[in-house]
Amino acid sequence: MSQDTHNKRLVGALELCDLPKLAINDLNIRVDTGATTSSLHVDNIDEFEKEGELWVSFDIHPDIHNVSKIVRREAKVVAQKKVKSSTATRERRYTIDTPIVMAGESWDIQLTLTDRSEMTYLMLLGREAMSGRFIVDPEHDYILTKPSS
């Protein structure tokens, strides 16, 4: 094993995270080494300008068990990426920076905002967000974080 793997923590195919800036806690996420950038399911994206910069507002469902609960959030757009989705269609996505918290550790990640309503999980954690931090064991779920029963 190479030296740089010693400080990495083991994660499963599914984990939990908090996105404190977006007021989301205990979000079930799919850990996806096939995705470069992490992505989050949002609805009703609207662009607006704030102090000469591009921002977006959007709806999110912070509680996976109660999809009728919707909160409106806003974030500064740091980039617009052309992304090839799992269905091989290309789309332009807004990208935001936001802190993520997993197992008590916090760091900033980039998230693309997209419609994942056809997907089981509202968020994918991609390679960029995991880089230097995790080794993935796809055989197990919730290795680093434990869902409350």
Side-chain angles (χ1 to χ4, degrees):
M1 223 186 255
S2 71
Q3 278 305 100
D4 66 341
T5 57
H6 291 301
N7 297 326
K8 293 182 183 176
R9 298 172 81 183
L10 193 62
V11 293
L14 300 175
E15 292 291 346
L16 292 172
C17 80
D18 296 339
L19 301 172
K21 199 165 144 190
L22 301 176
I24 300 176
N25 295 313
D26 292 328
L27 182 64
N28 288 277
I29 58 172
R30 160 73 62 203
V31 175
D32 186 356
T33 59
T36 304
T37 311
S38 302
S39 64
L40 178 68
H41 170 71
V42 301
D43 292 314
N44 305 319
I45 300 175
D46 291 314
E47 279 186 21
F48 66 98
E49 205 172 284
K50 190 171 175 177
E51 296 166 11
E53 295 180 309
L54 180 61
W55 282 62
V56 285
S57 60
F58 47 88
D59 293 337
I60 51 180
H61 307 275
D63 183 353
I64 193 167
H65 304 294
N66 178 9
V67 289
S68 64
K69 183 180 180 191
I70 298 169
V71 293
R72 191 86 181 152
R73 293 288 178 256
E74 57 182 46
K76 184 178 141 191
V77 175
V78 296
Q80 293 187 56
K81 291 190 174 181
K82 277 201 169 83
V83 176
K84 189 166 74 176
S85 71
S86 57
T87 58
T89 55
R90 289 206 165 277
E91 65 175 352
R92 180 178 286 284
R93 292 186 189 168
Y94 296 105
T95 305
I96 64 169
D97 285 339
T98 194
I100 185 172
V101 178
M102 286 177 70
E105 218 180 304
S106 177
W107 68 101
D108 288 336
I109 64 168
Q110 284 201 335
L111 265 182
T112 62
L113 305 177
T114 189
D115 179 352
R116 291 185 49 79
S117 55
E118 300 301 310
M119 307 298 172
T120 309
Y121 298 95
L122 297 180
M123 183 175 152
L124 287 182
L125 187 70
R127 290 191 309 272
E128 288 173 345
M130 292 186 269
S131 183
R133 295 180 179 280
F134 300 130
I135 296 173
V136 181
D137 181 347
E139 194 178 340
H140 299 284
D141 297 335
Y142 306 108
I143 295 172
L144 185 65
T145 58
K146 300 276 181 256
S148 52
S149 24

